[in-house]
Amino acid sequence: MSKILVLGATGHVGRPLVKELVARGETVKAASRTGKPVEGAEGVVFDVLKPDFDTLFQDVDRLYLLLPTGYVDAKGLLMPIVAAAAARKVKIVFQSVFGVDADDSIPYRQVELAIETSGVPYVILRPNWFADNFHIFWKAGIDHGLIAVPAAEGKSSFIDVRDIAASAAAALTSARHDGKAFNLTGPAALSYGEAAEVLSTVLGRKIAYQPITTDAFVAMLTGAGVGADYAAFLGSIFYPVREGWTAAVTGDVEALTGRAARSLRDYAVDNKAVLS
Ligand SMILES: NC(=O)c1ccc[n+]([C@@H]2O[C@H](COP(=O)([O-])OP(=O)(O)OC[C@H]3O[C@@H](n4cnc5c(N)ncnc54)[C@H](OP(=O)(O)O)[C@@H]3O)[C@@H](O)[C@H]2O)c1
C-alpha cells in the first residue's frame, strides 16, 4: 500500500518523473492509455475520459495529478479524480498552472481549492511555460527559423520539464512540503525575442521571433489540425504573457530540490539534437 500513481506517465513531465522515482527506489504505477510499463515501472491503464478508479488506486498512497495536454475542461475531468483520491486517503501532488491563484474563479484554481479542502495531504505545483514547448509546440516554426506567437514583448521565466519532474519527486517523497503551493520557474525571464536569440546561438542558425495577433495564431493552429476549442484556449493563455504576469522568477525549484533551476540555455544545449 505504498505505491505512487503517476498520471500522464508517458508525457513530458511524467516520464522523467517516473524515472526519478524509480531511481529513488519508489514503487510506481505509471498510468497511460496503453497501460504499458514506463521506465521500469509497472503500467496501468488510464483514460482521463473514463477512469477506472478501483484499478488505478489499488495499493496507492500518493498521486501525481495532471491534465493531459489537449483537454480544456480541467474542472470536469480532474474533480472526480480528486474526489476518488480523497475518498481513499491518497496524498495528491497536483501539476497546476502558473498564475491561476490570481483569481479563484479560474477552473484550475477551483481544482486547487478542492484539493486544499479535501482533507488529504497535498502539494500544489504551478509551473510556468515549459522551455520544452520550443521543441514540442514551436518546433515546426523553428525548423523554418521562425517562432510566431501572440506574446508581444512579454517575458516568461521558462522552466525545463526536468526541473518540474525533480520538484514533483521531492513533493511526492517527503511530507516536508505538504500543505504548500510552489510557483515553479526558470532562473530568468526572457521575451520570445530573447529566447529566439538563445536558440540561435545554441543551434548555430538564425531563429527569428515574430509577434502575431491572437486571431492569426489561432488560425495557424487550426490550420495545422489543432481542434478549435484547444486552439482558442492556447490563444487565450498568451494574454498573461503580454501583461507581464509570467515574468516572475521564484526560488521554488531550489526550495524543493536543493538545486537551482536550469536556464533556457541549459535546456537548449541539452535538447540540441531534437531542436535541430
Ligand atoms: N506546456 C506548458 O507550457 C505548461 C505550462 C504549465 C502547465 N502546463 C500543464 O501541464 C499539463 C500537461 O503536462 P505534460 O506536458 O507533462 O503532459 P503531456 O505530455 O501533454 O501528456 C501526458 C500524457 O497524457 C496522456 N494522455 C493523452 N490523452 C489522454 C487521455 N485521454 N487519458 C489519459 N492520458 C492521456 C498521453 O499519454 P498516452 O498517450 O501514453 O496515454 C501523454 O503522454 C497540462 O495540464 C498543462 O495545462 C503546461
Side-chain angles (χ1 to χ4, degrees), residues 29-104:
K29 282 175 85 169
S32 70
R33 283 173 297 179
T34 65
K36 287 187 183 153
V38 178
E39 301 289 345
E42 79 176 91
V44 62
V45 171
F46 167 64
D47 188 331
V48 74
L49 301 175
K50 43 178 170 39
D52 172 357
F53 292 129
D54 286 334
T55 306
L56 282 165
F57 283 111
Q58 192 176 5
D59 301 326
V60 164
D61 66 354
R62 286 157 288 168
L63 164 69
Y64 192 64
L65 176 64
L66 62 72
L67 184 67
T69 301
Y71 297 89
V72 177
D73 184 10
K75 255 180 88 176
L77 294 171
L78 295 179
M79 290 293 206
I81 308 177
V82 171
R88 293 164 175 83
K89 308 264 179 277
V90 168
K91 169 173 166 172
I92 302 170
V93 176
F94 175 42
Q95 181 175 311
S96 184
V97 177
F98 193 80
V100 299
D101 50 324
D103 182 344
D104 283 355

Side-chain angles (χ1 to χ4, degrees), residues 12-21 24 64 93 95 123 125 159-174 176-177 184 252-262:
H12 308 117
V13 175
R15 186 174 287 281
L17 172 59
V18 170
K19 195 171 176 179
E20 177 148 352
L21 291 171
R24 287 177 183 223
Y64 192 64
V93 176
Q95 181 175 311
V123 180
L125 305 178
I159 181 164
D160 191 305
V161 293
R162 294 171 295 178
D163 289 327
I164 305 172
S167 300
L172 285 161
T173 56
S174 165
R176 229 161 22 102
H177 311 293
L184 304 179
D252 286 6
V253 167
E254 187 156 5
L256 282 161
T257 68
R259 292 192 312 269
R262 293 168 173 88

Side-chain angles (χ1 to χ4, degrees), residues 71-228:
Y71 297 89
V72 177
D73 184 10
K75 255 180 88 176
L77 294 171
L78 295 179
M79 290 293 206
I81 308 177
V82 171
R88 293 164 175 83
K89 308 264 179 277
V90 168
K91 169 173 166 172
I92 302 170
V93 176
F94 175 42
Q95 181 175 311
S96 184
V97 177
F98 193 80
V100 299
D101 50 324
D103 182 344
D104 283 355
S105 72
I106 295 173
Y108 264 97
R109 177 62 187 148
Q110 294 193 358
V111 176
E112 291 185 358
L113 290 168
I115 292 170
E116 287 173 14
T117 54
S118 67
V120 294
Y122 71 87
V123 180
I124 291 168
L125 305 178
R126 299 188 192 110
N128 206 344
W129 285 84
F130 297 179
D132 302 67
N133 291 339
F134 288 104
H135 74 261
I136 301 164
F137 294 124
W138 321 133
K139 175 68 166 67
I142 288 173
D143 287 346
H144 292 95
L146 185 68
I147 297 165
V149 292
E153 298 311 315
K155 296 188 182 221
S156 302
S157 49
F158 300 102
I159 181 164
D160 191 305
V161 293
R162 294 171 295 178
D163 289 327
I164 305 172
S167 300
L172 285 161
T173 56
S174 165
R176 229 161 22 102
H177 311 293
D178 288 2
K180 297 182 193 149
F182 296 87
N183 298 312
L184 304 179
T185 75
L190 283 77
S191 67
Y192 277 81
E194 291 166 334
E197 282 172 24
V198 170
L199 296 174
S200 300
T201 304
V202 172
L203 299 182
R205 63 186 169 88
K206 178 69 184 163
I207 312 290
Y209 166 54
Q210 184 185 345
I212 57 173
T213 65
T214 302
D215 285 350
F217 179 69
V218 171
M220 186 175 80
L221 293 178
T222 48
V226 176

